Each structure stands twice: as structure tokens, then as C-alpha cells.
Amino acid sequence: MRIGILGAGGMADALGTQWAGAGHEVMISGRDAARTAVRAAAMTAQAGARAGAQAGAQTGVRAGSWAEAAGFGDVVMVAVLAAGIVPVLKEAGAALRGKPVIDVTNAPGPDKYDPTRPLANLIGDLSGGHVVKAFNLCHVDVWRMTPPVFGGRPLAVPLCGDDAAAKKTVGTLAADLGCTPVDGGGLARATLLEATAAFMIGLWFGGADAQAVLPPLASSGTHLPG
Ligand SMILES: NC(=O)c1ccc[n+]([C@@H]2O[C@H](COP(=O)([O-])OP(=O)(O)OC[C@H]3O[C@@H](n4cnc5c(N)ncnc54)[C@H](OP(=O)(O)O)[C@@H]3O)[C@@H](O)[C@H]2O)c1
């Protein structure tokens, strides 16, 4: 699959390197062409090391402009800071119309989350793409793990979006990381993922074990007798 990434920061690096190592063609993009090219070269080296012995593995990561990355991808990931969404999609948006668009964005801080302005809807409006919100609940270092498994349990990745085919595509990419994709419902529920990220990040930064606030499935109420 060809994956265009709007962004050349941590999330672009972590997820793009994994997907390149899994044999996908990846193009990243950023505001500074030289810096983006350096990042792409580092990702190529890293992905090549991960692909290891896979004969003929295609691990090259390219660098391009916002519009080039948007045009390159069969699927395109938006991995810029919230402040960059409008300017970046104004440049790249037209090429995203009708494509699966992965939205990993979060508010710039837990106290900055605005439930009246979901980032996923903003991205949908500016791109005309089939937005799937995903990968926004975990720190970038989790996405560098191969695979992200905690306590013997593969990480589950909720996906929120309205287009079934786009969700299937993004689910495949989650599975490529060794994760379990979980249908999180339609795009209207993406704001719940954004709220969850804000809430959990607030707990983590306050020093709490956010994972401990949820019971296991067996005690969720859906599995209790009676
Ligand atoms: N880091 C995490 O742990 C994590 C986890 C889940 C979700 N997220 C979300 O994923 C997105 C990307 O995060 P990241 O960690 O990859 O961020 P990052 O390392 O700081 O990279 C930010 C990217 O946004 C681009 N950008 C474009 N316009 C911008 C503008 N006006 N202001 C600032 N940056 C602009 C930057 O471009 P240049 O390359 O030109 O600088 C860069 O490529 C964010 O929305 C973040 O909330 C992050």
C-alpha cells in the first residue's frame, strides 16, 4: 500500500517506520524540505534494519511536500500538531478527496480539549476524505514497539469512521503493527476518542496509572450473571 503522511515528527516517524518495515511505500512531509529528507533517510535505515532478512523488502521512505504526500498515498495519515491542521490541509486537502484519511491528532494538551470542535470533523471538512480516527490514545513510543504487547495482551486500537472500506484499510495497518483493530463506531464518536485521550493524558501526567481505572472485560457488567 502507498501511505502518504502529512507530518515529519514523532508520530510520522514511529508509524511510518513500522509500515515501511512491513513492506508499504511511505512518503512523509513537513514544512522544511531538508529536515524532512533527513528524517526520511533515517526512517529508511531503521525500516531496513527491521525488515531484516525479508528478501527484496521495499523499505524506502520518501520525502515530499504536503501536496505530494497527499497525492502519493492510497491512504493518507494526518500527523501534524492541531495548530497545523488548517494550513496543512489547505495545501494538501484537494488530493485527499475520497481517500481513507487516518487522523491521529489530539488537542495540544489535556486542558486544551474542546468538545465543541472535534479535530476529526475539521479534518473531514477540509479534506473531503473518509476520515478514520485512530492511534491517538497512546504515546509515540508505544508505536515504536514491535509489537506493542502489554501483559501478554496485544494493544487494541479503536477506529472511528463512517466509511467501512476506509476502516478496513486502517484496521489492516493496525494489524501490521501487531495490534488488534477494534471498531469504535462512526465518525461522530471520534470526539469521544479525543476526549478519552485528553482525560487519560491528564491522569498520566498527574502520575496516575490510567489503565487501572478500567476493570477487565469479565467485570464490565456485560459478563456478569443475571
Ligand atoms: N507524540 C505523541 O505521543 C502523540 C500520541 C498520539 C497522538 N499525537 C498527535 O499526533 C500529532 C503529531 O504529533 P507528533 O508527536 O508527531 O508531533 P511533532 O513531533 O511535534 O511533529 C509535529 C508535526 O506537525 C507539523 N506541523 C505543520 N504545521 C504546523 C504548525 N503550524 N505548527 C506546528 N507543527 C506543525 C510539523 O512540521 P515540521 O516537520 O515542519 O516541523 C511536524 O511534522 C499531534 O496532533 C499529536 O497531538 C501525538
Side-chain angles (χ1 to χ4, degrees), residues 1 6 52 74 83 139 210 222:
M1 198 183 307
L6 305 180
D74 304 314
H139 186 262
T222 57

Coordinates of all heavy atoms in Angstrom, one line a residue, residues 1 6 52 74 83 139 210 222:
M1 N 0.8 -1.2 0.0 CA 0.0 0.0 0.0 C 0.9 1.2 0.0 O 2.0 1.2 0.6 CB -0.9 0.0 1.3 CG -2.1 0.9 1.2 SD -3.0 0.8 2.8 CE -3.2 -0.9 3.1
L6 N 1.1 13.3 6.3 CA 1.2 14.7 6.5 C 1.9 14.9 7.9 O 1.2 14.8 8.9 CB -0.1 15.4 6.4 CG -0.9 15.1 5.1 CD1 -2.2 15.8 5.0 CD2 0.0 15.5 3.9
G52 N 14.9 -6.5 8.0 CA 16.0 -7.6 8.1 C 16.1 -8.4 6.9 O 16.4 -8.0 5.8
D74 N -2.4 6.0 -1.2 CA -3.7 5.3 -1.3 C -4.5 5.6 0.0 O -5.7 5.7 0.0 CB -3.6 3.8 -1.4 CG -2.6 3.4 -2.6 OD1 -2.8 4.0 -3.6 OD2 -1.8 2.5 -2.3
A83 N -2.5 22.9 15.6 CA -2.3 24.2 15.0 C -2.0 24.1 13.5 O -2.2 25.1 12.8 CB -1.2 25.0 15.7
H139 N 1.1 7.0 23.6 CA 2.3 7.8 23.4 C 3.1 7.3 22.2 O 3.0 6.1 21.9 CB 3.2 7.8 24.6 CG 4.3 8.7 24.6 ND1 5.6 8.2 24.2 CD2 4.5 10.0 24.8 CE1 6.4 9.2 24.2 NE2 5.8 10.3 24.6
A210 N -3.4 5.3 34.5 CA -4.7 5.5 33.8 C -5.4 4.2 33.4 O -6.6 4.0 33.4 CB -4.6 6.4 32.6
T222 N -21.2 -6.5 31.3 CA -21.7 -7.3 30.1 C -21.6 -8.8 30.4 O -22.3 -9.6 29.7 CB -21.0 -6.9 28.8 OG1 -19.6 -7.2 29.0 CG2 -21.2 -5.5 28.5

